[in-house]
Amino acid sequence: MTRRLCLPAVMMTAGLILTGCGGSDASGFSSSARPELKVTGAYMPQPVTGDMAAGYFTVTNSGGADTLTSVTSDLTDDITLHSSEGGTMREEKSFAVPADGSLVLDSGGNHLMFANLGHRPRQGEKVSVQLHFAESGTVTVDMPVKPATYHPMTGH
Ligand code: CU
């Protein structure tokens, strides 16, 4: 179960250069600042079918940079990170959480994609998800299921 936390960053050849997973000589870079993460506004629009659902939340960071590397849940083993631009979705290996900044997942933009659902989540239910960060470890969030119309979804 132990994840090699630096692996996703290393694999992103064309992606962001992340501090904190840095070189073998710990020369103090700027990686000393620990991330201070707060997750707010999590929700899942009630899916229209039992096949797929989306999830949204905001991570606010008042410390050093971090990276969301994966998400797990009892609901399904199949959770991926998606970005979307101009209506086109793309799977991402990770999401950067900038230092003193925020990572926003919202309708029409970055989102979690749940597939092969164990059951179809209903409004009022809470879906517990574990957000795995490279620096901060695991943060568990209860994601309330909102009406399908709570936030219009596109592309699904
Ligand atoms: Cu998607």
Side-chain angles (χ1 to χ4, degrees), residues 82 89 111 113 156:
H82 281 187
M89 289 201 311
H111 55 280
M113 188 102 266
H156 295 303

Side-chain angles (χ1 to χ4, degrees), residues 76-98:
T76 174
D77 291 334
D78 188 349
I79 304 175
T80 45
L81 311 177
H82 281 187
S83 62
S84 50
E85 255 177 76
T88 307
M89 289 201 311
R90 206 175 66 175
E91 186 172 339
E92 303 287 348
K93 293 267 182 253
S94 62
F95 283 141
V97 184

Side-chain angles (χ1 to χ4, degrees), residues 44 46-47 119-127 144-146:
M44 170 184 286
Q46 179 174 290
H119 71 277
R120 180 181 163 194
R122 302 281 173 180
Q123 187 181 334
E125 200 177 313
K126 279 188 176 154
V127 176
V145 181
K146 299 286 192 181

